[in-house]
Amino acid sequence: MAANDSSARVRSTAAAALLAALLTAAGFCVAGIIRGTYPFGSASRSTNDLGAQYVPVYAHLWDILHGQAQGDLFFNWQSGFGVGFWGDFGVVLGSPLSLLVALFPRDQIDLAVFVLTTLKLALAAAAMVVLLRKMRPGPAWLAAALGASYGMCGWAIDDAAYVPMWLDGLIALPMFCLVGEWSLQALTPGGVRRTNRLLSVLVIGLFWFSNFYTAYMATIAGGLVLLARVLTSDLSWFRRLRVLLRHAVSVVLGMALAAPLLIPVFTANSEATTSPSGFFTPLPLDKFLSRLMPLSEGVGASASLYVGTAALLLALTLPFNGSLKAITRVVWTATVVLLGASFLWSPTQMFWHGFDTPNGSQYREAFVLCGVLVIVAWLSSADRAPSPIALGGAAALLVALALISQGSPFLTSGSVGMLAAAGGLTIAMMLTLWLIRRLGNRGWSGLPVVAAVVLVIVVGVETTLSAVVMDEQRAKFLSASAPAWGPQQTEQRDKIVAASDWPEYRTDPGTRTTPNDPMLLGGQGGGLYSSLLPASLHETLSGLGFGWAGFGRASYALDNPVTDAIFSIGAAMHRDDDLTRVDAPPLVTVRPGPAPDVPFTSAYGLQERLLGAQVYDVPAYRGSLVAPGLLTLKARCPVRSTVFLNFPQVGGQARLAGGEWQALTASRRPRTTTSSKMVELGKTPASGEVLIDLQVVAAVRGAITPRGALGCLDTAKLATAVSGLRATGATHVEAGGRSISATLKPGSTGVAVIAAPALPGWLCVRDGGKPEKPTSFGGLLSVSLPGPTERVSCEYLPPGLGIGLAAGGGALLITFALVLAAWSRRRPSASAEEPPTQGAN
């Protein structure tokens, strides 16, 4: 009989989880249909970094899985002229669900990301249902409604729907709480005898591997939920401590299991371009609480706390619910209040974010409060519908919330009306269920079903409409960063693939659609947008005249024939989708000696140092103010030279007199968040006198220098320099996923320079000799050749990977040892034990 009851509970839980997943997926899709966003309409859903950063990374993963990428999971030859990829994989793609992109056509990569997003939302809802039913028996339909409320919570739609890796944390929270339940029930007298030790560690490890950022927040929240469960249990204090210790061991081992990814990510982060921490200013309480309301939106400026009116109302019944023990009401009420308060105090807010106040959204941990509110709603209503007193108290708190929030700018015109309608229906249905239970089910067998259906519909309709409003309001402030893949991108990619001949030379797609066009469209260029963009690479590229944004974490392509020669770019895509070919040096060249260790006074000087030849004339110039914000620069250049201008800390536009304007893009906090790239203005006139119009929109003090900004390129000298590098460079180059090797001309000595950034993680050998760390040739990878050398080979491994593998392997061994120890203790008495029974709640 017990086995039949257990099987029935499993089936009903599975059905409820499926219903919650379907409600969530349907709500998310219907909201997109109403809004007309991709894939249901022409409007792009690539808010903020979704189109500029995440979709291209998924496209690169597709290429890796299909064997079409230049690189592998450890290294990316396509972006930033060659950078590590394992860190970006860990930040964006760690979830096993990411592998599903391989099932979609490449030109449907936006659809793949949308489907993954929907699937993660649905899985979060299903996971919450499983947790709720594990914590306490209760109606399957109510668990499904609350699961959907969690899957469509404000944080999921407003903050994470366009940051898909954060949604792994939404799934992790109920799963980590489930791990806590296993620890609790394993030590509850008369509870389940299966310990789930191995599964607990694997669950923790999986989600820390998937996305450590939100897993960190979910780990804290899971610990707080377990603490509340322990404090409200009937266990002895000794057993309570054992529960917490067991859970802590599972968490530590799980985190260590993910060390092969975590340690390289943290190492890469320590070497990445830094961005200043944000400044946290707590919201006033009325504005903070207003985000609990339906149809509200805060565009990252507030905590997205919305969980649906039904779930919120049921959670608010808990302090007034006389059917629950006083200790349960006190502990869970305190947990909710203290969690919310921790979002408004700077020290605890920093703790939630790993002691680094983020730029952008300041309340990225809001999903933990959403999850706890749903749990509290279940604990207050699972055994029986709340009494009229409890519902009245909750209704009073809802009214107070509406009154307090009236002046909040985060509310829309329908917020109060939706709160009243959904709240009223929820109260009516709960009162109906309470009356039926109180008076008996004589002749009213259909009413509970009607009440359940109505409540599920209320949750579905309200959360869907709230998702519509959130997306609509957010679009007014955060425009789409990129369009979905279309015929233009297909044509661009076809041209790039047709022109490519890697590793004979690079084919640069530019960065016109996104900074990550090399991953999105193919080819190999300098474009890269990543929070792990190496600081040394940023310094090298900015010194050469490349533009950047995002505090230096987004590097843009540079149209310049000298840097093309330095980085072996033999084909490049231009603004009009025209792709041109030029002769380029091989990817590996041989220089007579190391780069001169002398300061360079301009970007042109650094270009010449890495090229190994003088090709620029860098004249002084005079400036005059024509009108406010409009200057004229005068200089003399050699006739027939090409004029370049490099004002990295100026935003606006520039042109040769009478020519076409070229944009200077450092318009948003120059030198801090943006920097303009070097621009080509045109040919020097026959008179040799160069007149430049400079229109300044933004600039920092001292940005317009009297020398070093203007360069006049002698293309004949450049052609000679390129011919020299081709004559002495490698005769054959081979590139693997994370390796490169070159066959040199017989008798080559000096320095072999590889047109890739000098980054930690490389080891090189000469003629099959002993591996050694390479050197830096002005920021490029280089290998000294003290004697005649015919072959140079280099291989890359992510820094920290070895330590991570050792830590992960050790954690796995310890976990198996604990499992075997538990199994050996149970084995002698296993035959005498009763079948597992329902655990403590």
Side-chain angles (χ1 to χ4, degrees):
M1 191 67 165
N4 290 336
D5 290 343
S6 177
S7 178
R9 282 197 301 271
V10 170
R11 288 195 299 270
S12 64
T13 298
L18 179 60
L19 177 58
L22 291 175
L23 280 171
T24 300
F28 188 61
C29 291
V30 170
I33 293 172
I34 295 173
R35 287 278 296 129
T37 54
Y38 181 89
F40 307 107
S42 58
S44 173
R45 61 176 298 270
S46 291
T47 300
N48 209 17
D49 287 346
L50 179 60
Q53 186 174 8
Y54 308 133
V55 169
V57 173
Y58 276 100
H60 188 64
L61 177 64
W62 190 99
D63 288 338
I64 292 173
L65 296 175
H66 287 266
Q68 297 182 17
Q70 287 83 61
D72 58 17
L73 289 178
F74 286 163
F75 196 77
N76 173 13
W77 279 113
Q78 296 184 238
S79 303
F81 298 119
V83 294
F85 187 67
W86 190 234
D88 288 313
F89 176 86
V91 171
V92 181
L93 303 170
S95 170
L97 296 175
S98 300
L99 301 177
L100 296 178
V101 299
L103 303 179
F104 293 79
R106 196 187 190 281
D107 60 359
Q108 296 293 320
I109 195 67
D110 295 272
L111 177 62
V113 175
F114 173 81
V115 171
L116 284 177
T117 301
T118 307
L119 179 59
K120 288 184 178 183
L121 291 169
L123 286 175
M128 180 57 76
V129 170
V130 174
L131 170 65
L132 297 180
R133 297 272 288 179
K134 187 70 173 177
M135 294 180 78
R136 178 169 294 182
W141 64 266
L142 180 58
L146 292 177
S149 297
Y150 177 69
M152 289 287 284
C153 69
W155 180 89
I157 303 303
D158 197 16
D159 290 73
Y162 58 90
V163 189
M165 66 272 195
W166 287 1
L167 290 173
D168 294 310
L170 195 71
I171 309 171
L173 176 58
M175 294 303 297
F176 287 0
C177 292
L178 188 62
V179 170
E181 289 298 305
W182 293 337
S183 295
L184 179 63
Q185 294 190 8
L187 293 169
T188 299
V192 294
R193 305 306 298 270
R194 185 174 58 255
T195 64
N196 287 328
R197 170 69 74 181
L198 178 59
L199 188 57
S200 296
V201 174
L202 292 177
V203 167
I204 299 293
L206 172 66
F207 286 101
W208 270 85
F209 193 95
S210 296
N211 185 249
F212 69 91
Y213 187 62
T214 50
Y216 163 77
M217 302 171 186
T219 299
I220 298 170
L224 293 175
V225 168
L226 178 60
L227 180 61
R229 291 282 284 162
V230 165
L231 291 175
T232 56
S233 72
D234 296 326
L235 296 177
S236 67
W237 282 106
F238 178 70
R239 283 185 177 269
R240 293 178 185 183
L241 290 175
R242 286 185 63 192
V243 169
L244 296 176
L245 178 61
R246 173 194 161 92
H247 183 71
V249 170
S250 296
V251 169
V252 171
L253 289 175
M255 291 171 58
L257 203 61
L261 185 67
L262 296 180
I263 293 179
V265 168
F266 296 154
T267 302
N269 187 63
S270 69
E271 298 164 352
T273 304
T274 58
S275 61
S277 295
F279 297 97
F280 175 67
T281 302
L283 279 175
L285 187 61
D286 57 337
K287 294 179 180 178
F288 178 78
L289 293 176
S290 71
R291 290 307 313 276
L292 289 164
M293 300 272 285
L295 310 185
S296 63
E297 212 290 320
V299 198
S302 60
S304 302
L305 304 176
Y306 168 76
V307 289
T309 302
L312 178 61
L313 181 107
L314 292 177
L316 292 177
T317 63
L318 182 131
F320 312 101
N321 195 335
S323 65
L324 299 176
K325 296 179 180 179
I327 184 66
T328 298
R329 286 181 282 164
V330 170
V331 168
W332 282 104
T333 300
T335 298
V336 171
V337 171
L338 291 176
L339 260 182
S342 72
F343 296 179
L344 298 175
W345 189 38
S346 183
T348 48
Q349 178 71 349
M350 288 188 67
F351 175 73
W352 279 113
H353 295 93
F355 301 99
D356 183 17
T357 302
N359 283 292
S361 177
Q362 300 261 305
Y363 296 93
R364 300 176 183 183
E365 79 282 22
F367 73 98
V368 305
L369 185 54
C370 295
V372 171
L373 283 172
V374 168
I375 290 172
V376 170
W378 175 256
L379 294 177
S380 187
S381 57
D383 286 347
R384 65 191 69 182
S387 67
I389 294 176
L391 290 170
L397 290 179
L398 275 187
V399 172
L401 172 66
L403 293 174
I404 291 172
S405 303
Q406 276 307 289
S408 172
F410 305 132
L411 299 185
T412 60
S413 58
S415 294
V416 175
M418 179 62 73
L419 182 76
L425 283 172
T426 301
I427 291 172
M429 295 304 102
M430 282 295 165
L431 282 175
T432 299
L433 293 174
W434 181 84
L435 282 171
I436 292 172
R437 180 184 178 89
R438 187 66 179 265
L439 301 177
N441 200 16
R442 298 185 297 271
W444 298 340
S445 59
L447 282 180
V449 176
V450 172
V453 171
V454 169
L455 277 173
V456 170
I457 292 175
V458 166
V459 169
V461 171
E462 184 195 324
T463 55
T464 299
L465 291 179
S466 290
V468 171
V469 170
M470 288 179 197
D471 188 60
E472 182 180 43
Q473 294 298 314
R474 186 178 57 231
K476 296 177 181 179
F477 297 92
L478 296 176
S479 58
S481 56
W485 190 284
Q488 182 180 7
Q489 286 84 354
T490 298
E491 181 181 355
Q492 291 170 344
R493 177 169 170 80
D494 289 344
K495 288 183 178 181
I496 292 164
V497 171
S500 294
D501 192 11
W502 172 260
E504 289 299 312
Y505 57 81
R506 285 188 169 97
T507 301
D508 190 352
T511 50
R512 290 165 301 135
T513 305
T514 76
N516 281 321
D517 276 358
M519 285 191 280
L520 182 66
L521 301 176
Q524 312 83 31
L528 175 61
Y529 178 19
S530 168
S531 58
L532 300 179
L533 191 151
S536 59
L537 173 61
H538 167 68
E539 182 180 352
T540 298
L541 295 184
S542 60
L544 288 167
F546 285 76
W548 50 264
F551 305 99
R553 295 179 297 179
S555 173
Y556 290 91
L558 176 62
D559 292 324
N560 182 281
V562 181
T563 54
D564 286 354
I566 291 170
F567 290 104
S568 187
I569 296 175
M573 181 79 78
H574 302 285
R575 284 183 298 178
D576 55 1
D577 287 353
D578 183 31
L579 197 145
T580 58
R581 278 278 291 115
V582 297
D583 289 334
L587 207 64
V588 180
T589 56
V590 177
R591 314 299 178 88
D597 189 17
V598 294
F600 58 91
T601 57
S602 68
Y604 309 107
L606 180 58
Q607 289 185 10
E608 290 175 333
R609 178 188 300 182
L610 298 188
L611 181 69
Q614 184 175 351
V615 294
Y616 283 106
D617 182 78
V618 184
Y621 44 84
R622 301 184 310 275
S624 58
L625 185 64
V626 178
L630 181 62
L631 296 87
T632 297
L633 306 180
K634 297 181 180 180
R636 294 197 65 84
C637 286
V639 178
R640 292 186 298 276
S641 63
T642 305
V643 181
F644 288 86
L645 184 69
N646 187 46
F647 273 136
Q649 298 168 20
V650 174
Q653 53 185 352
R655 68 177 181 181
L656 280 182
E660 182 181 351
W661 287 103
Q662 301 294 327
L664 303 177
T665 55
S667 56
R668 182 171 175 238
R669 296 173 65 189
R671 193 169 60 187
T672 301
T673 61
T674 57
S675 179
S676 294
K677 68 179 180 179
M678 181 184 294
V679 294
E680 179 181 342
L681 299 181
K683 294 291 185 180
T684 302
S687 64
E689 187 177 71
V690 175
L691 297 177
I692 298 174
D693 296 328
L694 180 63
Q695 195 169 51
V696 179
V697 175
V700 299
R701 183 180 297 274
I704 302 177
T705 57
R707 189 176 179 89
L710 193 62
C712 309
L713 175 64
D714 189 322
T715 54
K717 289 182 179 179
L718 175 61
T720 301
V722 170
S723 297
L725 292 175
R726 289 172 61 88
T728 60
T731 59
H732 182 65
V733 178
E734 298 174 358
R738 52 185 175 88
S739 63
I740 186 169
S741 59
T743 302
L744 308 180
K745 292 183 181 297
S748 294
T749 60
V751 178
V753 178
I754 302 169
L759 302 176
W762 283 104
L763 284 178
C764 300
V765 298
R766 298 186 301 268
D767 289 336
K770 183 180 178 181
E772 60 185 48
K773 290 184 179 180
T775 56
S776 173
F777 187 91
L780 301 184
L781 196 65
S782 63
V783 181
S784 61
L785 309 176
T789 305
E790 294 187 2
R791 188 170 181 81
V792 171
S793 300
C794 297
E795 188 172 4
Y796 176 88
L797 278 179
L801 180 63
I803 298 175
L805 288 171
L812 194 60
L813 289 176
I814 294 173
T815 301
F816 278 126
L818 291 173
V819 171
L820 288 174
W823 179 74
S824 63
R825 287 196 303 269
R826 290 179 54 212
R827 188 178 179 185
S829 58
S831 59
E833 290 179 355
E834 295 293 329
T837 58
Q838 175 69 31
N841 293 289

PDB file of all heavy atoms in Angstrom, residues 107-124:
ATOM      1  N   ASP A 107      21.847  29.170 -39.322  1.00  0.00           N
ATOM      2  CA  ASP A 107      21.180  30.441 -39.592  1.00  0.00           C
ATOM      3  C   ASP A 107      19.912  30.621 -38.750  1.00  0.00           C
ATOM      4  O   ASP A 107      19.190  31.601 -38.921  1.00  0.00           O
ATOM      5  CB  ASP A 107      20.857  30.582 -41.084  1.00  0.00           C
ATOM      6  CG  ASP A 107      19.938  29.488 -41.601  1.00  0.00           C
ATOM      7  OD1 ASP A 107      19.554  28.600 -40.813  1.00  0.00           O
ATOM      8  OD2 ASP A 107      19.624  29.505 -42.804  1.00  0.00           O
ATOM      9  N   GLN A 108      19.677  29.674 -37.839  1.00  0.00           N
ATOM     10  CA  GLN A 108      18.575  29.801 -36.890  1.00  0.00           C
ATOM     11  C   GLN A 108      19.113  29.860 -35.461  1.00  0.00           C
ATOM     12  O   GLN A 108      18.469  29.417 -34.514  1.00  0.00           O
ATOM     13  CB  GLN A 108      17.617  28.615 -37.032  1.00  0.00           C
ATOM     14  CG  GLN A 108      16.918  28.539 -38.368  1.00  0.00           C
ATOM     15  CD  GLN A 108      15.946  29.693 -38.570  1.00  0.00           C
ATOM     16  OE1 GLN A 108      15.246  30.090 -37.645  1.00  0.00           O
ATOM     17  NE2 GLN A 108      15.908  30.242 -39.763  1.00  0.00           N
ATOM     18  N   ILE A 109      20.303  30.443 -35.299  1.00  0.00           N
ATOM     19  CA  ILE A 109      20.928  30.475 -33.988  1.00  0.00           C
ATOM     20  C   ILE A 109      20.114  31.313 -33.002  1.00  0.00           C
ATOM     21  O   ILE A 109      20.045  31.009 -31.808  1.00  0.00           O
ATOM     22  CB  ILE A 109      22.379  30.995 -34.097  1.00  0.00           C
ATOM     23  CG1 ILE A 109      23.157  30.691 -32.816  1.00  0.00           C
ATOM     24  CG2 ILE A 109      22.428  32.470 -34.429  1.00  0.00           C
ATOM     25  CD1 ILE A 109      23.386  29.223 -32.597  1.00  0.00           C
ATOM     26  N   ASP A 110      19.451  32.363 -33.485  1.00  0.00           N
ATOM     27  CA  ASP A 110      18.587  33.161 -32.604  1.00  0.00           C
ATOM     28  C   ASP A 110      17.416  32.333 -32.103  1.00  0.00           C
ATOM     29  O   ASP A 110      17.005  32.459 -30.947  1.00  0.00           O
ATOM     30  CB  ASP A 110      18.078  34.393 -33.345  1.00  0.00           C
ATOM     31  CG  ASP A 110      19.187  35.351 -33.702  1.00  0.00           C
ATOM     32  OD1 ASP A 110      19.520  36.215 -32.876  1.00  0.00           O
ATOM     33  OD2 ASP A 110      19.745  35.224 -34.810  1.00  0.00           O
ATOM     34  N   LEU A 111      16.879  31.474 -32.980  1.00  0.00           N
ATOM     35  CA  LEU A 111      15.788  30.591 -32.564  1.00  0.00           C
ATOM     36  C   LEU A 111      16.281  29.597 -31.519  1.00  0.00           C
ATOM     37  O   LEU A 111      15.582  29.311 -30.538  1.00  0.00           O
ATOM     38  CB  LEU A 111      15.220  29.851 -33.768  1.00  0.00           C
ATOM     39  CG  LEU A 111      14.106  28.841 -33.472  1.00  0.00           C
ATOM     40  CD1 LEU A 111      12.896  29.537 -32.879  1.00  0.00           C
ATOM     41  CD2 LEU A 111      13.728  28.073 -34.738  1.00  0.00           C
ATOM     42  N   ALA A 112      17.488  29.083 -31.714  1.00  0.00           N
ATOM     43  CA  ALA A 112      18.058  28.144 -30.745  1.00  0.00           C
ATOM     44  C   ALA A 112      18.163  28.784 -29.367  1.00  0.00           C
ATOM     45  O   ALA A 112      17.814  28.161 -28.351  1.00  0.00           O
ATOM     46  CB  ALA A 112      19.430  27.674 -31.221  1.00  0.00           C
ATOM     47  N   VAL A 113      18.636  30.028 -29.304  1.00  0.00           N
ATOM     48  CA  VAL A 113      18.778  30.711 -28.024  1.00  0.00           C
ATOM     49  C   VAL A 113      17.405  30.975 -27.407  1.00  0.00           C
ATOM     50  O   VAL A 113      17.215  30.852 -26.191  1.00  0.00           O
ATOM     51  CB  VAL A 113      19.572  32.021 -28.194  1.00  0.00           C
ATOM     52  CG1 VAL A 113      19.619  32.814 -26.896  1.00  0.00           C
ATOM     53  CG2 VAL A 113      20.990  31.716 -28.675  1.00  0.00           C
ATOM     54  N   PHE A 114      16.424  31.327 -28.231  1.00  0.00           N
ATOM     55  CA  PHE A 114      15.063  31.539 -27.713  1.00  0.00           C
ATOM     56  C   PHE A 114      14.504  30.246 -27.125  1.00  0.00           C
ATOM     57  O   PHE A 114      13.911  30.251 -26.030  1.00  0.00           O
ATOM     58  CB  PHE A 114      14.136  32.040 -28.820  1.00  0.00           C
ATOM     59  CG  PHE A 114      12.688  32.126 -28.403  1.00  0.00           C
ATOM     60  CD1 PHE A 114      12.231  33.217 -27.682  1.00  0.00           C
ATOM     61  CD2 PHE A 114      11.791  31.112 -28.707  1.00  0.00           C
ATOM     62  CE1 PHE A 114      10.908  33.300 -27.274  1.00  0.00           C
ATOM     63  CE2 PHE A 114      10.467  31.180 -28.309  1.00  0.00           C
ATOM     64  CZ  PHE A 114      10.025  32.278 -27.592  1.00  0.00           C
ATOM     65  N   VAL A 115      14.681  29.134 -27.833  1.00  0.00           N
ATOM     66  CA  VAL A 115      14.176  27.852 -27.334  1.00  0.00           C
ATOM     67  C   VAL A 115      14.870  27.462 -26.029  1.00  0.00           C
ATOM     68  O   VAL A 115      14.221  26.988 -25.083  1.00  0.00           O
ATOM     69  CB  VAL A 115      14.362  26.757 -28.402  1.00  0.00           C
ATOM     70  CG1 VAL A 115      14.050  25.376 -27.831  1.00  0.00           C
ATOM     71  CG2 VAL A 115      13.460  27.027 -29.603  1.00  0.00           C
ATOM     72  N   LEU A 116      16.191  27.681 -25.957  1.00  0.00           N
ATOM     73  CA  LEU A 116      16.915  27.384 -24.722  1.00  0.00           C
ATOM     74  C   LEU A 116      16.401  28.236 -23.565  1.00  0.00           C
ATOM     75  O   LEU A 116      16.252  27.751 -22.436  1.00  0.00           O
ATOM     76  CB  LEU A 116      18.412  27.633 -24.918  1.00  0.00           C
ATOM     77  CG  LEU A 116      19.195  26.584 -25.701  1.00  0.00           C
ATOM     78  CD1 LEU A 116      20.637  27.032 -25.850  1.00  0.00           C
ATOM     79  CD2 LEU A 116      19.126  25.244 -25.015  1.00  0.00           C
ATOM     80  N   THR A 117      16.133  29.501 -23.844  1.00  0.00           N
ATOM     81  CA  THR A 117      15.605  30.393 -22.813  1.00  0.00           C
ATOM     82  C   THR A 117      14.258  29.899 -22.308  1.00  0.00           C
ATOM     83  O   THR A 117      14.015  29.823 -21.097  1.00  0.00           O
ATOM     84  CB  THR A 117      15.474  31.817 -23.366  1.00  0.00           C
ATOM     85  OG1 THR A 117      16.754  32.277 -23.803  1.00  0.00           O
ATOM     86  CG2 THR A 117      14.927  32.762 -22.318  1.00  0.00           C
ATOM     87  N   THR A 118      13.387  29.550 -23.234  1.00  0.00           N
ATOM     88  CA  THR A 118      12.061  29.040 -22.859  1.00  0.00           C
ATOM     89  C   THR A 118      12.184  27.748 -22.075  1.00  0.00           C
ATOM     90  O   THR A 118      11.483  27.543 -21.067  1.00  0.00           O
ATOM     91  CB  THR A 118      11.222  28.811 -24.126  1.00  0.00           C
ATOM     92  OG1 THR A 118      11.203  29.997 -24.925  1.00  0.00           O
ATOM     93  CG2 THR A 118       9.798  28.437 -23.764  1.00  0.00           C
ATOM     94  N   LEU A 119      13.079  26.873 -22.512  1.00  0.00           N
ATOM     95  CA  LEU A 119      13.266  25.592 -21.826  1.00  0.00           C
ATOM     96  C   LEU A 119      13.772  25.795 -20.400  1.00  0.00           C
ATOM     97  O   LEU A 119      13.320  25.119 -19.463  1.00  0.00           O
ATOM     98  CB  LEU A 119      14.255  24.736 -22.618  1.00  0.00           C
ATOM     99  CG  LEU A 119      14.590  23.351 -22.041  1.00  0.00           C
ATOM    100  CD1 LEU A 119      13.327  22.505 -21.901  1.00  0.00           C
ATOM    101  CD2 LEU A 119      15.622  22.645 -22.914  1.00  0.00           C
ATOM    102  N   LYS A 120      14.681  26.721 -20.206  1.00  0.00           N
ATOM    103  CA  LYS A 120      15.202  26.973 -18.859  1.00  0.00           C
ATOM    104  C   LYS A 120      14.117  27.534 -17.942  1.00  0.00           C
ATOM    105  O   LYS A 120      14.034  27.161 -16.765  1.00  0.00           O
ATOM    106  CB  LYS A 120      16.393  27.918 -18.924  1.00  0.00           C
ATOM    107  CG  LYS A 120      17.657  27.289 -19.498  1.00  0.00           C
ATOM    108  CD  LYS A 120      18.837  28.251 -19.457  1.00  0.00           C
ATOM    109  CE  LYS A 120      20.096  27.600 -19.990  1.00  0.00           C
ATOM    110  NZ  LYS A 120      21.290  28.489 -19.899  1.00  0.00           N
ATOM    111  N   LEU A 121      13.293  28.446 -18.457  1.00  0.00           N
ATOM    112  CA  LEU A 121      12.184  28.957 -17.660  1.00  0.00           C
ATOM    113  C   LEU A 121      11.246  27.825 -17.253  1.00  0.00           C
ATOM    114  O   LEU A 121      10.807  27.740 -16.095  1.00  0.00           O
ATOM    115  CB  LEU A 121      11.422  30.011 -18.455  1.00  0.00           C
ATOM    116  CG  LEU A 121      12.140  31.341 -18.728  1.00  0.00           C
ATOM    117  CD1 LEU A 121      11.367  32.160 -19.758  1.00  0.00           C
ATOM    118  CD2 LEU A 121      12.303  32.139 -17.446  1.00  0.00           C
ATOM    119  N   ALA A 122      10.951  26.938 -18.205  1.00  0.00           N
ATOM    120  CA  ALA A 122      10.047  25.822 -17.929  1.00  0.00           C
ATOM    121  C   ALA A 122      10.656  24.858 -16.916  1.00  0.00           C
ATOM    122  O   ALA A 122       9.968  24.369 -16.011  1.00  0.00           O
ATOM    123  CB  ALA A 122       9.719  25.093 -19.233  1.00  0.00           C
ATOM    124  N   LEU A 123      11.953  24.580 -17.045  1.00  0.00           N
ATOM    125  CA  LEU A 123      12.606  23.670 -16.107  1.00  0.00           C
ATOM    126  C   LEU A 123      12.656  24.263 -14.701  1.00  0.00           C
ATOM    127  O   LEU A 123      12.542  23.525 -13.709  1.00  0.00           O
ATOM    128  CB  LEU A 123      14.020  23.354 -16.588  1.00  0.00           C
ATOM    129  CG  LEU A 123      14.119  22.412 -17.790  1.00  0.00           C
ATOM    130  CD1 LEU A 123      15.565  22.280 -18.241  1.00  0.00           C
ATOM    131  CD2 LEU A 123      13.536  21.040 -17.460  1.00  0.00           C
ATOM    132  N   ALA A 124      12.826  25.576 -14.599  1.00  0.00           N
ATOM    133  CA  ALA A 124      12.804  26.218 -13.285  1.00  0.00           C
ATOM    134  C   ALA A 124      11.445  26.031 -12.625  1.00  0.00           C
ATOM    135  O   ALA A 124      11.351  25.737 -11.422  1.00  0.00           O
ATOM    136  CB  ALA A 124      13.146  27.695 -13.417  1.00  0.00           C
TER     137      ALA A 124
END
